[in-house]
Amino acid sequence: MKHKKFTTTSGIEVKEVYTGPSGMNELPGEFPYTRGIQKDMYRGKPWTMRQYAGFSTAEESNKRYHYLLSQGTMGLSVAFDLPTQIGYDSDHELAEGEVGKVGVAIDSLKDIEILFAGIELKDITTSMTINATAAILLAMYIALAKKQGADLNQLSGTIQNDILKEYAARGTYIYPPAPSMRLITDIFEYCSKEVPKWNTISISGYHIREAGSTAVQELAFTLANGKTYLKAALDKGLDINIFAKRLSFFFNCHNNFFEEIAKFRAARRMWAHITKGLGATDAGAQKLRFHTQTGGSTLTAQQPMNNVVRVTMQALAAVLGGTQSLHTNGYDEALSLPTEAAAKIALRTQQIIAFESGVTDTVDPLAGSYFIEALTDELEAAAQLYIDKIDAMGGSVKAIEQDYIQQEIAASAYQYQNDIESGQKVLVGVNRFTQQEEVAQNVFRVDDSIRRQQIEKLIRLKEERNNNDVNQALQNLAIAARGNDNLMPYILTAVECYATLGEIADTLRNVFGEY
């Protein structure tokens, strides 16, 4: 097979990989994967441009998905509203004021059918940012794939399903840690047999960073959580060489360009050693694959067009760090959900980096930089100190229960805010280079009538479905939850009967309790 020739604009040939004399002869695609998990990285194909979207109703989000796919997005990434994330139907009193606001409202399989109308699930990969109710949303996605006639052996995508960072940084948990971990390992086990190409967890440092952590803390706490999930799966008797291939990570990318690149390189190396230490011998089980999102907390409401530059720098750092997929934030997201125009520029940012900049022509182009290599080593060493401390406490669950991780993040967030207020850390347009602001006109607002629409759909659903089947499925789920059966088949049956998300979550609440 003849390989494509890569050249600069001056016609100078660009090699696939460069090595140097000073010990920097590790190759991409080889353990411990500091330089990337694939031999040719983006020369083979670019990262997946996976724009995060979801708002209002399933009908409205479906229009945005079709638009993004028409503009060149390569995979969908679904944002769910807060009631969906914490297991409440849209008609629940605690859902008032939140329906469709920070993501799409999903109450039942009917909504998922509308959300993906006209989209063949076999032809795309879908990432779902969902945690406490991940098993329910995954079951809905599988149920729709079955209705479409898709081969479940080929169905591909990711659920976030990372509950530990919810306790530590974000807060959308429902059940106590033990039953939450049971649900996660049930998903691991079920998917390894029934949906083998599905990524069953995206271990998230993104929200740890958004809560105010440093880059070192994001790296350390994310990998410590990853170790906890590995050990939980091993305790369930799963084969690390099989299930670890289906784990992925989700990192933030902030403004310090070189630190972020070094963070990604250190993460790959550390994870390779962690998995090997726990018994992984298959190279696929040792490789850290990750999605990146540019830093939401770095966006400013002041001079919002400055965010285009911030997002571009962060996206470039993610690419130079070797990400497998990327979401670029809209410049207006400090004001509202992204407008269609902002979403388009965010996607074009990735496409310009991929197809115009030349940074994809060689693998790990910053390797051998004295600064990058030293920074990679220093980030690894500092993160390892945290991991050793968490291990000494008994792992992430114990560290979270002792409030250790939360306190470390809070202290860093406090210091960061102090540095901004004192002017020690410069934010362009915020504490330096400011100007009189005009009131933003073009912002995206979700109407409060969305809740009424969702409630009307719920009323119709409960009139049309077979409620005897629903009640039986929920009773069977409750019995299984009190025992030791894998819960995924019971959740799938309930979903296929059109039991609502809230009904399923409440059934588990009644057995597991709330945290």
Side-chain angles (χ1 to χ4, degrees):
M1 177 182 169
K2 189 174 180 181
H3 291 287
K4 180 183 173 184
K5 186 176 180 180
F6 290 81
T7 63
T8 69
T9 53
S10 304
I12 298 167
E13 185 170 358
V14 180
K15 298 178 187 176
E16 180 173 272
V17 67
Y18 291 83
T19 57
S22 55
M24 195 46 234
N25 284 314
E26 180 191 314
L27 293 173
E30 294 183 5
F31 187 90
Y33 312 107
T34 314
R35 300 195 62 189
I37 60 170
Q38 287 118 9
K39 180 176 176 288
D40 60 352
M41 286 301 288
Y42 308 132
R43 283 168 68 110
K45 65 174 183 176
W47 61 92
T48 301
M49 298 173 194
R50 188 185 298 284
Q51 289 302 104
Y52 187 48
F55 58 90
S56 184
T57 61
E59 290 88 345
E60 290 301 312
S61 290
N62 176 260
K63 291 175 189 174
R64 178 65 65 91
Y65 293 160
H66 279 283
Y67 171 75
L68 287 169
L69 289 168
S70 75
Q71 294 299 308
T73 283
M74 296 146 68
L76 297 178
S77 186
V78 185
F80 298 97
D81 73 358
L82 196 57
T84 303
Q85 292 179 48
I86 53 178
Y88 294 129
D89 289 334
S90 298
D91 59 0
H92 195 285
E93 60 183 3
L94 293 178
E96 188 171 353
E98 293 293 344
V99 175
K101 289 293 176 72
V102 299
V104 62
I106 299 294
D107 291 322
S108 75
L109 176 57
K110 275 271 191 261
D111 286 323
I112 288 288
E113 291 167 358
I114 296 166
L115 186 67
F116 293 103
I119 300 169
E120 290 292 325
L121 301 190
K122 66 180 175 59
D123 296 333
I124 60 166
T125 65
T126 304
S127 174
M128 296 191 281
T129 304
I130 196 71
N131 297 283
T133 54
I136 304 171
L137 270 300
L138 175 59
M140 289 180 182
Y141 194 86
I142 292 170
L144 176 59
K146 287 170 66 177
K147 290 186 79 167
Q148 289 185 352
D151 179 358
L152 297 187
N153 286 310
Q154 300 303 315
L155 196 66
S156 181
T158 305
I159 43 171
Q160 192 163 101
N161 198 28
D162 174 8
I163 204 66
L164 291 178
K165 66 93 178 48
E166 296 297 326
Y167 297 115
R170 192 162 172 268
T172 66
Y173 47 78
I174 302 174
Y175 318 111
S180 292
M181 291 296 289
R182 173 187 172 184
L183 281 166
I184 286 169
T185 54
D186 280 357
I187 291 169
F188 289 174
E189 182 180 51
Y190 177 84
C191 288
S192 69
K193 297 170 184 172
E194 304 295 332
V195 199
K197 288 194 173 180
W198 193 268
N199 297 319
T200 50
I201 192 167
S202 178
I203 303 157
S204 175
Y206 183 85
H207 302 97
I208 290 169
R209 193 68 176 278
E210 289 291 286
S213 81
T214 64
V216 165
Q217 289 170 335
E218 178 191 2
L219 178 58
F221 299 154
T222 305
L223 295 188
N225 287 347
K227 279 183 76 173
T228 298
Y229 292 125
L230 286 177
K231 289 178 178 178
L234 287 168
D235 289 345
K236 200 174 178 73
L238 302 183
D239 183 346
I240 192 169
N241 284 316
I242 295 174
F243 76 79
K245 291 179 185 177
R246 302 267 59 92
L247 306 186
S248 65
F249 287 80
F250 174 25
F251 286 114
N252 209 310
C253 200
H254 264 230
N255 288 333
N256 193 303
F257 187 72
F258 292 111
E259 183 177 47
E260 295 302 304
I261 295 166
K263 178 187 75 181
F264 299 133
R265 299 173 89 249
R268 275 193 296 272
R269 188 159 72 200
M270 294 176 77
W271 187 246
H273 287 295
I274 287 168
T275 50
K276 188 175 182 180
L278 289 172
T281 54
D282 189 301
Q286 298 169 345
K287 293 178 180 179
L288 182 145
R289 296 165 299 120
F290 68 99
H291 171 72
T292 309
Q293 182 173 340
T294 57
S297 63
T298 69
L299 302 176
T300 62
Q302 301 93 327
Q303 301 176 31
M305 290 307 293
N306 293 347
N307 294 326
V308 175
V309 182
R310 292 186 180 102
V311 168
T312 302
M313 295 292 288
Q314 293 164 10
L316 183 59
V319 169
L320 291 171
T323 193
Q324 275 61 67
S325 67
L326 179 60
H327 165 87
T328 33
N329 289 329
Y331 63 80
D332 54 3
E333 286 189 54
L335 300 167
S336 69
L337 289 167
T339 56
E340 199 166 276
K344 183 192 285 186
I345 288 176
L347 178 58
R348 293 290 182 258
T349 300
Q350 294 199 49
Q351 291 165 336
I352 289 167
I353 292 171
F355 301 110
E356 294 187 19
S357 72
V359 298
T360 62
D361 291 351
T362 188
V363 182
D364 192 24
L366 294 182
S369 153
Y370 294 121
F371 183 40
I372 283 290
E373 296 302 344
L375 203 50
T376 302
D377 292 345
E378 287 172 33
L379 277 158
E380 178 178 12
Q384 191 61 52
L385 290 175
Y386 270 118
I387 292 173
D388 291 344
K389 188 163 187 176
I390 291 167
D391 284 346
M393 291 178 173
S396 287
V397 174
K398 296 291 185 186
I400 289 165
E401 288 173 347
Q402 293 174 41
D403 218 29
Y404 169 70
I405 292 176
Q406 297 93 311
Q407 287 179 2
E408 289 293 309
I409 295 170
S412 294
Y414 180 71
Q415 183 62 51
Y416 183 82
Q417 187 62 31
N418 279 347
D419 289 346
I420 291 171
E421 291 178 9
S422 69
Q424 188 171 332
K425 181 173 283 295
V426 175
L427 284 186
V428 174
V430 177
N431 62 4
R432 289 270 294 278
F433 315 110
T434 57
Q435 65 186 40
Q436 187 67 37
E437 293 291 321
E438 294 181 7
V439 177
Q441 300 294 326
N442 187 24
V443 294
F444 195 150
R445 298 282 183 237
V446 174
D447 197 291
D448 282 324
S449 66
I450 297 305
R451 183 171 186 246
R452 187 168 64 252
Q453 293 176 40
Q454 286 298 112
I455 290 172
E456 288 169 1
K457 283 199 283 186
L458 279 166
I459 291 169
R460 285 199 303 274
L461 175 78
K462 291 175 181 178
E463 288 172 350
E464 294 168 358
R465 70 186 186 182
N466 186 320
N467 286 298
N468 289 331
D469 287 352
V470 171
N471 292 334
Q472 187 61 59
L474 294 174
Q475 285 176 30
N476 292 342
L477 174 60
I479 292 166
R482 292 188 190 98
N484 297 310
D485 286 358
N486 188 307
L487 297 180
M488 275 301 296
Y490 296 93
I491 293 171
L492 181 59
T493 299
V495 159
E496 290 179 324
C497 294
Y498 292 93
T500 69
L501 174 127
E503 289 169 337
I504 295 168
D506 282 347
T507 299
L508 295 175
R509 276 187 181 93
N510 291 335
V511 177
F512 297 149
E514 288 189 282
Y515 186 67

